């Protein structure tokens, strides 16, 4: 990682939308052809041009249409979805924070400017927070050309070297506005190794933090100064920007979210290999809610229908140490049980975030880190801010009444 230069004022450029919309559009679209979007297709289309991505879907799903027909059919579906586009987790928090500290920000995207404006219209406070919005139709060449970022720096009257670019994957390349950008700006896709936004930022002489919006994609952002799993992991002070002050005792309070289901069999290694049992629940039915929350280590309260409510620390994701291909939900209930409870209904109120999932040099260091997470969660859940959720109706109503 390149170390950050301290700066008096910095500029931030980023495109803070999540990719959930792509899955949603393709899910609805494929049903029309009697097919089921399995979500995993997202990996097959990432890093491709819009045309290549469309061709891959037509081929993979054996659709009875040409690539161009597919494109003209999905484009209006994407447009309809713009008002439903969810912000990337942590985007509103970050925009508010930087705005409150008077950090000038610009929003620079390859999408035509009018599309960007429609997309952010439903996010309160966003438009006013950016000094400028620059669309792909306002420059000769879109990303990966540095032009859009250089233009943003010029308009902000700042040196490119004192600007920070925060770049997500710029969404799945299939998204409708990317298709339009292709026509409008003659956007040239360079290669599948580095994402266009990262290339553009580096070519503009700026520091770049990349936030891959699909899992296991960090390797295609290698030229970024830092790759973070989600905006929750951004430490502004690393880049000479004012730090967040909402972390409390190593935890980040979040808007609580809720998932539940019967306890299922996992990989059979939690207790055996790590000495840490995790009462897995199925991810089925939670694809939307899970796509709205970054993978990582969280904590909260767990209601076990036949037993009660317990403190809980969990990981959600691909367990990088084991390089799983399936995303799993792995809650460790912080209580000693004298028997297994497979099949029992488990409800989770997730109230705070601790850290991204990580890889470790050894099993011992993974286990040590999980025990550290446990301590953090145990202490945090005693704070009034988190303790109250123990009585959350969602958990209480799931308990078996005798
Ligand atoms: P699996 O791979 O099948 O999830 P684990 O080794 O992770 O197996 O063990 C998890 C199981 O252990 C749970 O499903 C539950 O029945 C039991 N268990 C016992 N104590 C706990 C605990 N404190 N937290 C979570 N699960 C526990
Ligand atoms: N697995 C990882 O590969 N990396 C992690 O950073 C990680 N953190 C975890 C944190 C907690 C609190 C828990 C309960 C589990 C974590 N695991 C992590 C998941 C662990 O690998 C998983 O539970 C076992 O592999 C059982 O399948
Ligand atoms: Mg388990």
């Amino acid at each position: 990682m390149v170390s950050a230069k301290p700066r008096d004022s910095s500029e931030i450029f980023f495109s803070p939308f999540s990719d959930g919309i792509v899955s949603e559009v393709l899910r609805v679209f494929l049903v029309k052809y009697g097919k089921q979007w399995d979500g995993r297709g997202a990996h097959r289309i990432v890093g491709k041009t819009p045309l290549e991505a469309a061709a891959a879907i037509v081929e993979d799903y054996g659709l009875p249409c040409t690539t161009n027909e597919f494109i003209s059919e999905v484009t209006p579906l994407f447009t309809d979805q713009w008002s439903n586009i969810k912000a990337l987790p942590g985007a509103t928090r970050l925009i508010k924070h930087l705005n409150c500290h008077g950090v000038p920000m610009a929003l620079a995207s390859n999408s035509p400017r009018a599309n960007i404006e429609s997309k952010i219209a439903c996010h309160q406070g966003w438009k006013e927070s950016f000094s400028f919005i620059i669309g792909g139709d306002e420059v000769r060449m879109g990303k990966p050309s540095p032009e859009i970022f250089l233009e943003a720096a010029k308009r902000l009257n700042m040196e490119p070297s004192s600007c920070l670019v925060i770049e997500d994957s710029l969404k799945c390349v299939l998204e409708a506005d990317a298709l339009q950008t292709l026509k409008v700006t003659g956007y040239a896709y360079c290669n599948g190794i580095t994402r266009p936004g990262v290339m553009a930022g580096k070519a503009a002489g700026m520091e770049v933090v990349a936030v891959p919006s699909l899992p296991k994609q960090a390797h295609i952002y290698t030229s970024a100064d830092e790759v973070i799993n989600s905006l929750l992991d951004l430490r502004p002070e690393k880049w000479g920007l004012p730090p967040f002050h909402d972390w409390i005792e190593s935890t980040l309070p979040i808007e609580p979210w809720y998932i539940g289901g019967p306890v299922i069999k996992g990989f059979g290694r939690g207790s055996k290999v790590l000495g840490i049992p995790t009462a897995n629940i199925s991810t089925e039915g939670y694809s939307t809610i899970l796509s709205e929350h970054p993978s990582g280590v969280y904590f909260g309260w767990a209601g076990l229908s036949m037993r009660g409510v317990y403190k809980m620390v969990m990981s959600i994701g691909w367990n990088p140490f084991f390089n799983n291909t399936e995303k799993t939900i792995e809650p460790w209930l912080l209580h000693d049980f004298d028997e297994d409870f497979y099949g029992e209904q488990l409800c989770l109120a997730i109230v705070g975030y601790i850290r991204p999932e990580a890889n470790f040099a050894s099993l011992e260091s993974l286990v040590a880190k999980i025990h550290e997470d446990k301590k953090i969660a145990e202490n945090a859940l005693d704070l009034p801010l988190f303790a109250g959720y123990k009585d959350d109706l969602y958990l209480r109503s799931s308990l078996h009444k005798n």
Side-chain angles (χ1 to χ4, degrees):
M1 207 193 87
V2 173
S3 64
K5 296 168 220 95
R7 45 169 85 75
D8 303 328
S9 66
S10 301
E11 291 66 49
I12 304 292
F13 309 132
F14 69 124
S15 57
F17 298 114
S18 92
D19 284 338
I21 184 174
V22 175
S23 296
E24 187 52 26
V25 163
L26 291 177
R27 191 183 62 76
V28 171
F29 178 80
L30 290 171
V31 166
K32 231 178 71 179
Y33 286 97
K35 311 278 176 179
Q36 206 187 347
W37 170 248
D38 55 21
R40 278 167 296 183
H43 299 280
R44 293 195 294 268
I45 55 181
V46 90
K48 293 191 171 146
T49 65
L51 264 174
E52 285 169 348
I57 300 230
V58 169
E59 188 187 324
D60 285 353
Y61 286 87
L63 302 181
C65 60
T66 65
T67 303
N68 281 338
E69 284 165 354
F70 173 80
I71 288 175
S72 16
E73 280 194 59
V74 295
T75 299
L77 298 180
F78 279 115
T79 314
D80 289 348
Q81 289 286 326
W82 281 348
S83 59
N84 298 330
I85 293 183
K86 290 258 169 28
L88 279 184
T92 299
R93 165 178 174 257
L94 177 61
I95 291 172
K96 246 195 208 156
H97 171 74
L98 295 172
N99 193 41
C100 281
H101 286 84
V103 177
M105 289 182 279
L107 184 53
S109 163
N110 271 0
S111 310
R113 189 210 167 103
N115 294 4
I116 306 172
E117 296 219 359
S118 320
K119 284 180 178 185
I120 66 168
C122 59
H123 296 283
Q124 235 196 343
W126 281 26
K127 188 160 194 266
E128 309 81 91
S129 299
F130 292 105
S131 310
F132 295 103
I133 295 172
I134 305 182
D137 51 342
E138 295 174 272
V139 287
R140 277 173 301 123
M141 290 282 285
K143 305 171 196 178
S145 157
E147 191 183 338
I148 199 163
F149 288 140
L150 292 174
E151 177 61 24
K154 199 162 106 192
R155 289 198 208 173
L156 289 167
N157 203 18
M158 292 298 298
E159 284 300 317
S161 59
S162 51
C163 296
L164 174 69
V165 172
I166 301 175
E167 180 69 36
D168 72 12
S169 73
L170 242 190
K171 296 156 266 167
C172 167
V173 283
L174 245 190
E175 213 179 306
D177 58 333
L179 297 173
Q180 287 171 18
T181 306
L182 187 72
K183 291 177 214 141
V184 175
T185 64
Y187 167 100
Y189 194 80
C190 282
N191 58 46
I193 304 302
T194 300
R195 303 298 307 182
V198 175
M199 288 178 70
K202 289 317 294 174
M206 299 175 179
E207 285 169 324
V208 178
V209 175
V211 193
S213 56
L214 283 173
K216 302 188 172 204
Q217 294 296 318
H219 61 284
I220 63 171
Y221 294 81
T222 43
S223 51
D225 296 294
E226 188 185 20
V227 182
I228 53 178
N229 185 57
S230 79
L231 289 176
L232 301 185
D233 303 321
L234 183 78
R235 301 296 162 133
E237 62 276 22
K238 274 193 183 177
W239 311 99
L241 293 162
F244 282 116
H245 291 297
D246 49 359
W247 284 84
I248 301 168
E249 301 193 12
S250 305
T251 68
L252 178 64
I254 54 173
E255 191 57 40
W257 51 288
Y258 302 90
I259 47 178
V263 175
I264 58 167
K265 283 267 174 196
F267 299 105
R269 64 176 177 232
S271 338
K272 284 198 198 87
V273 181
L274 305 171
I276 296 166
T278 53
N280 301 49
I281 56 171
S282 169
T283 56
E284 224 164 277
Y286 287 114
S287 61
T288 306
I289 197 165
L290 289 176
S291 74
E292 286 166 18
H293 295 277
S295 59
V297 177
Y298 293 85
F299 66 96
W301 294 97
L304 254 183
S305 62
M306 306 301 288
R307 288 156 223 266
V309 178
Y310 306 93
K311 289 178 175 176
M312 172 279 297
V313 65
M314 71 194 293
S315 92
I316 298 183
W318 289 265
N319 305 337
F321 186 80
F322 298 98
N323 199 17
N324 295 160
T325 50
E326 295 280 312
K327 190 176 198 172
T328 56
I329 303 174
E330 313 247 358
W332 181 20
L333 278 54
L334 304 181
H335 179 83
D336 282 329
F337 296 93
D338 44 25
E339 55 175 7
D340 285 350
F341 40 81
Y342 287 108
E344 198 166 322
Q345 186 72 19
L346 174 63
C347 288
L348 305 173
I350 299 149
V351 302
Y353 173 76
I354 299 179
R355 63 173 176 91
E357 283 191 302
N359 205 341
F360 292 86
S362 66
L363 190 66
E364 292 70 43
S365 46
L366 168 65
V367 170
K369 189 71 181 173
I370 300 177
H371 279 276
E372 212 178 281
D373 298 330
K374 172 191 176 181
K375 283 228 169 65
I376 291 172
E378 261 178 340
N379 291 335
L381 287 164
D382 286 334
L383 298 172
L385 174 66
F386 298 120
Y389 291 105
K390 185 179 184 185
D391 300 316
D392 194 284
L393 213 57
Y394 175 73
L395 303 179
R396 291 283 156 199
S397 59
S398 67
L399 298 183
H400 192 262
K401 292 161 199 86
N402 262 328

